[in-house]
């Protein structure tokens, strides 16, 4: 007899995914918010690391897009200061600088994206990493006899 297996996506709450966009460039904040809202995301924005930390302390986000260079902190340093509850959040660093050398990548960062980025590429990276997190954070239990 074959047991029914339920996929993680089917068992997840049917809520819109949430995204926090952290960048000091207002054009990027507006553009990324628009791109994500069109795909059904609820978005929030922050222009500084301090503002981002405050929002993350009081809200839960599925994904955070964080600029490497913020006025008050480096994006990678911001990630190390995130509260414990944010371990399930996908963390993506955005940089206008040269790509990050793989020897210097932070294991807490899910992806590094070089600006400018095409909207379709942004969405693919976000969705791929959200799916990885869902699979990693979903525990399958075998049915009891």
């Amino acid at each position: 007899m074959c047991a029914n297996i339920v996929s993680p996506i089917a068992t997840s709450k049917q809520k819109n995914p949430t995204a926090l966009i952290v960048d000091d460039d207002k054009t990027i904040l507006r553009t990324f918010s628009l791109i994500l809202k069109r795909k059904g995301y609820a978005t929030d924005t922050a222009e500084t690391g301090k503002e981002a930390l405050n929002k993350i302390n009081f809200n839960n986000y599925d994904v955070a897009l964080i600029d490497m260079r913020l006025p008050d902190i480096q994006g990678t340093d911001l990630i190390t200061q995130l509260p414990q509850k944010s371990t399930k959040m996908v963390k993506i660093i955005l940089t206008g600088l040269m790509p990050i050398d793989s020897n210097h990548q932070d294991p807490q960062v899910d992806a590094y994206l070089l600006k400018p980025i095409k909207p379709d590429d942004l969405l693919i990276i976000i969705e791929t990493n959200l799916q990885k997190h869902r699979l990693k954070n979903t525990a399958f239990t075998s049915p009891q006899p």
Side-chain angles (χ1 to χ4, degrees), residues 3 5 13 26-27 55 62 68 72 78 80 101 108 113 118-120 126 128 132-133 139-140 144:
I5 298 175
K13 295 176 185 167
K26 292 179 193 279
T27 302
K55 289 185 177 200
D62 297 304
M68 177 67 92
D72 58 345
L78 172 61
T80 65
D101 180 340
Q108 295 180 57
L113 296 177
K118 295 176 186 173
D120 289 341
I126 290 171
T128 299
K132 284 181 191 176
H133 273 254
F140 291 99
Q144 298 297 320

Side-chain angles (χ1 to χ4, degrees), residues 109-130:
V109 177
D110 295 292
Y112 291 84
L113 296 177
L114 186 61
K115 294 190 256 183
I117 183 165
K118 295 176 186 173
D120 289 341
D121 293 342
L122 175 67
L123 292 168
I124 289 169
I125 295 294
I126 290 171
E127 288 299 323
T128 299
N129 281 285
L130 279 173

